[in-house]
Amino acid sequence: MCLSFSFWGTLLLTGFVAAEDQSPLKLSGKTSANGIYIFGEDDAFSLNSYGESTSTFSLKSSCKDNNLGDSYMNVVLYNIQTSESILSHNVKCDGGSFSAYSNPDVYNEKYNIRVIGQSEQEFDVEVYSELTGLELKDGVWEMFVAVNEDSHVVKSIYLSEEQIEAIGTWSYMQVSAESNDTFLEDESKNVDLNSLDSSWTHGCGPGGSDTSARNVGKLIVTQNKEDLNSFFENPNAIVAESVRLSFSCFGMITISNASSPTLKSGLWLIGVTLDSSQNQTKPKDVKIRVTIDRDYQYSERILILLGVSFIGLIIPFLARVIFDAGNMDIFKKVEFKTWRKVVRDWFWRGNKGMTYLVALLAALLVVSAFQVVHARHDEMMKSGDRDLCYYNEKCYRPYGDYYDVSVNGIASNLPFMVQGVLLILYFSFAESYCRANDHKHYDYSLPYSFGFAFICEGFGSLIYHICPSQIIFQFDTLFMFVISLLMITAIFEGISIRDHDVKYSRIADQKTFRPSKIFAFFVGPVYFFNFIGNLNATSGLPTAFMVPFYVLFGLWWVGILCWLAYKNSLLSKCCNPKDMPHLDHVDGVDVDSASRSKIVEWAIKHKTVIKAVAMLIYSVIVVVGFVFALLQKVAFSMFILGVLIIALVMLAVLNFAPVANVVLRHFHNLHIQLTKDCCNVSKHLLVLFGMVAYLLIGCVVVVMALVFFMVYSTTDKSFDPWVSRESNNPCIMDNFYDSHDLWHLGASFGLMILAMVVTTISKPCRECYLVYLANDKKKVAKEKEKFSRGSSGPPASSQAVTDM
């Protein structure tokens, strides 16, 4: 047996580490005939502590197989006084070296090595005593470490009372673990950890979509050494006074005055290991980074967002200017006392059935949703498991010492609430105008429900962002479903006959919706299907249950598509091809080709064909989306929401022609009109441009918001939490709001614009619309009489024209 010692001297750590390591101890020898070797007391060594700093053992072992076969050696580092095993790892005797780390609780005592293997087996052991104490410089510290299946890493930071007092209430400490795993089969393309500098950031590279290829690690931040030891024994154990999470490329833990544990003075321990539950064996290189942000101010940033939200005040009035340019007297005869009466009588005068149902649904949802979400968030706080909630850790701003949630994710829902209130106020003024002019045929139930649905969407999204996850996502999307369904209903309302609506019967050919039917056949089933789909995505329901569920879901969609075809007057036309519409047979339209452009005339003549083609395209989209949802290639919520938004946009565009025709019929002989009455014609051209631009801007804003939501997503709740964290992105606006917050802002504005377009199509006040047509009819007749003499053809008829 041969025993040798070599000391390398004192090593000074570079960077921001203000401590030094003990010299490494090299041991070599050969096991006895029975395969055991124990070093004597003279060979024992000690592990010292340095004031407030802590230390870890690093054990590196290797051995040779004398029989040229697969053999292993067990190396144990133990406390001589207590016989406690500090480190124990199995080493494969193939000439390679294996490392392990430990974090003993007792310092300044004697430790030794015991080796168990084959008879007369040669081995080499190196023991390092590494200081973990770190000093933050300018609030930042970072270092590269490595872990494997037999080891873990411990680092520590000491915060004094003076530092805590200087930090303040609105401050937090963020501890991140980043890995350079790229999951590339070609290892030559992977990043060399030793060549990286402080500017290095994580990246998953091509092939990152293969979730099975992840090398999953675990990160813990605690002040409790028992929690740390339990974590290393079982990384998924409940650690009540600690915070832990899983990561592949990136993970970050935020410690604040609202977290558990709270940010306070003393020794903070940071542990990194591989996730044993994922059977990880591949070594992992990790960069640990610690930052402290001091006295972060939220109020100014939230107030700025609130001010931006009030820009929505101009959207409904701009719509009034554009779509009702010939009847700009919304406030005529409207005084404050009239508006006050509308507000006072709101609950018992006029039809508010749809609004009441939305309010009832909201009351039930908000209470139940908050109970579920709060319970899940409370579970996260008590167990320390950060994997339960899918936050954008890179833009996580805790709410002082009140609530450990991302305050920016909560505050960014204010635009929905503000614009919902603005919609309700605007429609109350519109109703005041109708009441002041003694109109009898008006119904603002649907427009009011838009406003309430916007407010409820803000609350639903706010509750969801307390603890985002796949199963909680249903509370965020429910009122997006409701908003889409309400707008689709409003579009069909524009071509429907309401109760006692005799005057409007010649320009509408179907009955209106019943609010109870909408919630019974649309909102209820959508909520049920969405819940089961999300539950299956997270928990994996039995096939015996999911097969009939998908059959039922498919049959429901067949019924919805048939209903859409019926409401678009396609079923009867398809069943009787001889009964095809012609220009002089379309209900509610007078034959006066001179009053319309050729485009509108062609659209009216072929409206059944246009609707049939649009219906076919939409049916194909639904079928393809259904297949993707069935194969779980797309989240269930996103499939339902996507097809609803597509239906809304398609219906809005198809039913926009009657709105635009009110302006188009002013153009009889455009060349002569521009010559003789350029000012008046230009006004109509400007209004027409405004109508088209208003609709397009609404669609573009919604699309841009969807891009922020889907393309620049900050989380992906359909995957494991460590995969979702790869999508985390830093704040992109005022160091406070991320791309998902911009989705909230853009969606609120875009949907508000579409809400006003849809309201115009739905014609909530039929008498306002008929008065508008009557006034406009006189203007058209005068223009035709004035300019028909300048045209090359015969004089145009002055017959009255009504809308479709």
Side-chain angles (χ1 to χ4, degrees):
M1 185 276 292
C2 174
L3 176 64
S4 66
F5 299 87
S6 77
F7 296 90
W8 291 358
T10 302
L11 297 176
L12 294 177
L13 293 180
T14 59
F16 304 133
V17 183
E20 58 183 29
D21 292 349
Q22 286 186 294
S23 303
L25 177 65
K26 290 188 175 182
L27 308 172
S28 62
K30 181 185 295 186
T31 59
S32 61
N34 60 2
I36 300 176
Y37 183 87
I38 302 177
F39 289 94
E41 291 187 6
D42 295 337
D43 302 327
F45 49 90
S46 62
L47 176 65
N48 299 324
S49 63
Y50 294 82
E52 301 295 349
S53 300
T54 61
S55 303
T56 61
F57 272 131
S58 173
L59 186 64
K60 186 176 181 180
S61 310
S62 63
C63 58
K64 297 179 181 179
D65 189 353
N66 298 329
N67 300 322
L68 301 178
D70 290 336
S71 62
Y72 291 84
M73 177 183 72
N74 180 255
V75 182
V76 180
L77 173 66
Y78 64 96
N79 186 315
I80 292 179
Q81 284 83 357
T82 63
S83 298
E84 176 190 6
S85 176
I86 304 302
L87 264 179
S88 176
H89 72 140
N90 294 319
V91 180
K92 187 176 182 180
C93 298
D94 57 0
S97 60
F98 297 83
S99 301
Y101 297 82
S102 182
N103 182 50
D105 297 328
V106 181
Y107 304 100
N108 302 319
E109 294 194 6
K110 295 292 183 179
Y111 298 89
N112 216 330
I113 298 291
R114 179 174 64 247
V115 179
I116 302 174
Q118 291 185 346
S119 175
E120 298 183 352
Q121 191 172 43
E122 297 180 358
F123 63 87
D124 295 291
V125 178
E126 295 181 14
V127 183
Y128 298 83
S129 172
E130 180 181 330
L131 288 177
T132 64
L134 311 168
E135 180 179 344
L136 275 71
K137 184 176 181 181
D138 298 328
V140 180
W141 176 87
E142 61 185 17
M143 184 179 182
F144 293 105
V145 298
V147 292
N148 58 43
E149 60 177 326
D150 297 315
S151 69
H152 54 255
V153 172
V154 178
K155 297 298 175 185
S156 64
I157 297 174
Y158 184 81
L159 296 178
S160 65
E161 290 287 350
E162 291 76 13
Q163 288 174 306
I164 292 297
E165 291 177 0
I167 289 174
T169 301
W170 294 90
S171 301
Y172 49 89
M173 176 177 68
Q174 291 186 315
V175 181
S176 65
E178 304 180 39
S179 173
N180 65 328
D181 294 344
T182 54
F183 315 121
L184 294 175
E185 295 182 0
D186 185 359
E187 295 185 358
S188 64
K189 295 182 180 180
N190 287 327
V191 181
D192 181 10
L193 186 69
N194 298 321
S195 66
L196 300 173
D197 56 22
S198 60
S199 65
W200 173 79
T201 57
H202 75 86
C204 292
S209 59
D210 183 6
T211 57
S212 62
R214 263 58 172 184
N215 191 16
V216 183
K218 302 286 284 190
L219 171 68
I220 187 173
V221 178
T222 183
Q223 286 190 305
N224 190 316
K225 291 183 179 180
E226 294 181 359
D227 279 359
L228 186 66
N229 293 332
S230 299
F231 171 77
F232 287 137
E233 292 177 3
N234 178 13
N236 295 307
I238 295 178
V239 283
E241 299 180 12
S242 310
V243 183
R244 59 184 167 88
L245 57 75
S246 307
F247 70 96
S248 57
C249 284
F250 170 79
M252 179 181 286
I253 291 174
T254 301
I255 303 295
S256 67
N257 287 282
S259 63
S260 178
T262 59
L263 184 60
K264 56 187 177 181
S265 62
L267 187 67
W268 287 91
L269 302 173
I270 304 168
V272 179
T273 187
L274 293 181
D275 189 352
S276 57
S277 65
Q278 301 295 322
N279 298 318
Q280 302 295 339
T281 58
K282 181 182 177 182
K284 190 176 187 68
D285 299 320
V286 179
K287 181 178 76 172
I288 300 176
R289 176 181 172 88
V290 181
T291 60
I292 291 183
D293 287 288
R294 305 173 187 271
D295 291 329
Y296 198 91
Q297 299 299 319
Y298 300 136
S299 56
E300 181 180 344
R301 292 166 172 82
I302 296 175
L303 288 174
I304 290 175
L305 179 66
L306 193 62
V308 171
S309 302
F310 276 98
I311 296 176
L313 186 64
I314 68 173
I315 292 177
F317 292 99
L318 185 62
R320 183 74 177 191
V321 170
I322 293 174
F323 294 107
D324 204 3
N327 192 26
M328 287 297 299
D329 55 354
I330 183 174
F331 297 115
K332 185 178 180 181
K333 296 184 181 180
V334 177
E335 299 177 354
F336 177 75
K337 63 179 182 180
T338 308
W339 178 77
R340 188 181 60 187
K341 288 181 180 179
V342 169
V343 175
R344 184 193 64 189
D345 301 341
W346 194 86
F347 287 98
W348 55 78
R349 178 166 177 172
N351 178 27
K352 303 292 192 306
M354 186 71 75
T355 312
Y356 296 155
L357 282 176
V358 171
L360 176 63
L361 179 65
L364 296 175
L365 173 71
V366 169
V367 173
S368 59
F370 183 76
Q371 290 175 342
V372 173
V373 176
H374 178 72
R376 189 175 182 89
H377 180 268
D378 190 56
E379 180 185 359
M380 181 197 74
M381 297 292 291
K382 290 180 178 179
S383 66
D385 188 1
R386 196 78 171 181
D387 290 347
L388 291 175
C389 301
Y390 286 62
Y391 297 113
N392 178 15
E393 307 288 359
K394 283 191 173 183
C395 191
Y396 186 88
R397 301 292 181 258
Y399 187 45
D401 55 358
Y402 302 105
Y403 210 31
D404 190 15
V405 295
S406 182
V407 65
N408 48 323
I410 300 294
S412 63
N413 292 286
L414 282 174
F416 273 111
M417 302 181 194
V418 170
Q419 291 171 18
V421 172
L422 293 178
L423 281 174
I424 292 173
L425 287 175
Y426 171 79
F427 292 129
S428 69
F429 282 114
E431 185 177 0
S432 299
Y433 169 78
C434 298
R435 185 167 179 175
N437 287 275
D438 295 324
H439 291 173
K440 307 299 182 183
H441 303 279
Y442 63 88
D443 185 352
Y444 284 91
S445 179
L446 268 171
Y448 278 131
S449 66
F450 293 165
F452 277 96
F454 270 59
I455 296 173
C456 296
E457 170 57 27
F459 274 109
S461 182
L462 182 151
I463 292 172
Y464 159 75
H465 282 87
I466 293 175
C467 183
S469 62
Q470 182 68 37
I471 194 64
I472 303 297
F473 191 48
Q474 59 182 309
F475 300 122
D476 185 19
T477 54
L478 174 59
F479 273 96
M480 291 297 289
F481 300 157
V482 172
I483 291 172
S484 301
L485 286 170
L486 289 175
M487 290 188 180
I488 292 171
T489 303
I491 291 174
F492 284 114
E493 186 88 352
I495 56 174
S496 300
I497 305 171
R498 300 187 188 130
D499 295 338
H500 312 297
D501 207 356
V502 180
K503 284 187 178 181
Y504 194 68
S505 60
R506 67 186 302 268
I507 50 177
D509 53 7
Q510 297 193 46
K511 289 186 177 181
T512 186
F513 288 92
R514 301 298 181 191
S516 56
K517 290 184 178 180
I518 294 173
F519 280 80
F521 297 114
F522 293 90
V523 178
V526 164
Y527 190 37
F528 169 75
F529 292 131
N530 182 48
F531 169 73
I532 298 298
N534 285 326
L535 187 62
N536 179 57
T538 54
S539 304
L541 296 177
T543 304
F545 176 83
M546 291 307 298
V547 169
F549 167 77
Y550 282 124
V551 171
L552 179 63
F553 188 46
L555 291 175
W556 180 80
W557 267 114
V558 170
I560 294 299
L561 293 176
C562 291
W563 172 86
L564 281 174
Y566 167 75
K567 279 296 180 181
N568 281 287
S569 304
L570 293 176
L571 287 182
S572 59
K573 304 299 181 183
C574 294
C575 295
N576 187 8
K578 295 181 180 179
D579 186 21
M580 297 299 291
H582 299 285
L583 183 60
D584 55 342
H585 291 156
V586 178
D587 292 339
V589 179
D590 296 329
V591 182
D592 187 1
S593 59
S595 66
R596 299 184 184 87
S597 68
K598 293 182 179 180
I599 296 177
V600 174
E601 187 176 329
W602 179 88
I604 294 174
K605 184 176 181 179
H606 300 88
K607 72 171 186 177
T608 300
V609 176
I610 295 173
K611 288 182 178 180
V613 172
M615 189 68 204
L616 179 61
I617 294 173
Y618 182 69
S619 300
V620 171
I621 293 174
V622 170
V623 171
V624 172
F626 181 84
V627 172
F628 273 82
L630 187 67
L631 299 175
Q632 296 188 358
K633 298 295 184 181
V634 63
F636 223 78
S637 300
M638 297 311 302
F639 159 62
I640 298 175
L641 182 60
V643 295
L644 286 175
I645 291 178
I646 291 172
L648 168 61
V649 173
M650 292 180 69
L651 284 170
V653 172
L654 287 174
N655 290 275
F656 190 72
V659 178
N661 183 53
V662 175
V663 179
L664 286 172
R665 62 187 182 178
H666 283 272
F667 307 135
H668 317 292
N669 192 320
L670 191 58
H671 175 71
I672 297 176
Q673 286 180 287
L674 287 173
T675 303
K676 293 187 176 183
D677 196 4
C678 180
C679 182
N680 187 47
V681 176
S682 298
K683 182 187 74 172
H684 292 304
L685 286 173
L686 186 62
V687 170
L688 180 62
F689 172 79
M691 287 182 174
V692 177
Y694 195 90
L695 175 63
L696 291 179
I697 289 173
C699 295
V700 169
V701 173
V702 170
V703 170
M704 290 177 62
L706 288 172
V707 169
F708 279 114
F709 179 72
M710 304 186 71
V711 179
Y712 297 102
S713 175
T714 57
T715 58
D716 193 338
K717 294 160 286 295
S718 61
F719 289 107
D720 293 314
W722 54 87
V723 180
S724 173
R725 292 190 177 97
E726 296 169 9
S727 301
N728 287 180
N729 288 313
C731 302
I732 61 175
M733 190 172 71
D734 202 14
N735 195 30
F736 189 68
Y737 299 108
D738 60 19
S739 57
H740 189 80
D741 298 325
L742 294 182
W743 144 253
H744 290 162
L745 183 64
S748 64
F749 278 103
L751 289 175
M752 189 179 190
I753 294 173
L754 290 182
M756 294 309 303
V757 173
V758 168
T759 301
T760 302
I761 296 174
S762 70
K763 310 173 185 67
C765 179
R766 300 295 162 89
E767 289 194 44
C768 290
Y769 182 70
L770 292 173
V771 169
Y772 177 74
L773 288 182
N775 294 336
D776 199 60
K777 175 186 64 177
K778 298 176 182 178
K779 296 179 182 179
V780 172
K782 290 180 180 180
E783 290 169 357
K784 289 165 58 177
E785 182 179 359
K786 179 179 179 180
F787 294 107
S788 60
R789 293 187 297 271
S791 62
S792 57
S797 171
S798 60
Q799 185 176 353
V801 181
T802 59
D803 192 18
M804 292 174 54

